[in-house]
Amino acid sequence: FDPEEVKVYELGFKYSTPGHRVRLNGAVFHTKYDDLQVQVFTSVAPVTRNAAGASINGFELEMQAVPADGWFLEAAAGYLKAEYDKVDPIDTWLFKKDKFERVPEWSVSAALSRQFDLPDGGTLTPRIDWSWKSKVYNDAFNSPQLTQDSFSLVNLNLTYTDKTDHYDIVAAVKNLTDKEYMHTGVWGTAFQTIEGVYDRGRQYSVTVRARF
């Protein structure tokens, strides 16, 4: 397969309110691919082919805010329109109508945390994260069996930091609602087999960090 070439045009901004209580970052972009490399499963193993041409247009918007002392709010939104401009269906088995694999059209996230001062001089910070992604196709052929519908995730963590700011103890719960969703998958056309890799579900962890 040939090298792929890409040209990216981006226009962005950064804004901060007086006192830096709110920060906004945003960007719009246009990406043009020539000889885009795609991985397709046309035999007993995945191979890389050049899909000819493709375009990706979109925007990203991020916000960070301190609504009150000790509080911290984050939010982000992104939009991607990724499509093939031209493609060789004989070589790749793909068509212009096919969607990019593992590329959600929309993604949104938000997080809220609050830092509490403790009598021993340390701090305790609870945090909640939420994210949402629109439908994702997990293979280049957009197989229905490997399509992941839109879903949201919630994560929680509680961080203790000692008064010297050298040590953290973090207790966390990932995927609080025990959402079942697919990370990736393949369709083996040679043997007509379909394999999907799913998330492990709700997970608990305790992490200790040290800074020297």
Side-chain angles (χ1 to χ4, degrees), residues 58-192:
F59 72 84
E60 296 176 343
L61 186 63
E62 299 177 344
M63 182 199 70
Q64 297 177 336
V66 182
D69 290 344
W71 289 90
F72 188 56
L73 173 65
E74 298 171 272
Y79 171 77
L80 287 174
K81 184 179 181 182
E83 54 189 359
Y84 298 113
D85 298 326
K86 54 182 178 179
V87 69
D88 184 350
I90 296 177
D91 192 35
T92 65
W93 295 15
L94 299 176
F95 298 91
K96 284 184 64 176
K97 65 177 179 62
D98 290 327
K99 305 297 183 182
F100 279 33
E101 61 179 304
R102 304 185 187 93
V103 178
E105 186 175 14
W106 285 97
S107 58
V108 183
S109 64
L112 180 65
S113 62
R114 171 71 161 94
Q115 181 176 292
F116 296 92
D117 295 327
L118 300 177
D120 66 356
T123 61
L124 195 64
T125 307
R127 177 185 171 94
I128 181 170
D129 294 271
W130 170 84
S131 63
W132 177 86
K133 291 182 179 180
S134 60
K135 180 189 295 186
V136 172
Y137 299 94
N138 281 298
D139 71 330
F141 300 133
N142 298 173
S143 305
Q145 298 91 335
L146 298 175
T147 298
Q148 174 59 56
D149 290 332
S150 62
F151 67 96
S152 61
L153 293 175
V154 178
N155 303 319
L156 297 175
N157 66 60
L158 182 65
T159 302
Y160 168 77
T161 303
D162 77 311
K163 63 180 180 181
T164 66
D165 199 32
H166 288 164
Y167 301 97
D168 296 328
I169 302 175
V170 184
V173 182
K174 184 178 180 182
N175 192 358
L176 178 67
T177 60
D178 201 25
K179 175 67 179 180
E180 182 181 277
Y181 64 96
M182 187 182 296
H183 283 287
T184 186
V186 293
W187 174 33
T189 56
F191 302 107
Q192 291 298 302

Side-chain angles (χ1 to χ4, degrees), residues 15-33:
Y15 171 75
S16 181
T17 61
H20 304 289
R21 286 281 187 175
V22 178
R23 293 180 182 178
L24 290 174
N25 299 326
V28 294
F29 51 85
H30 168 70
T31 304
K32 178 67 175 178
Y33 277 94

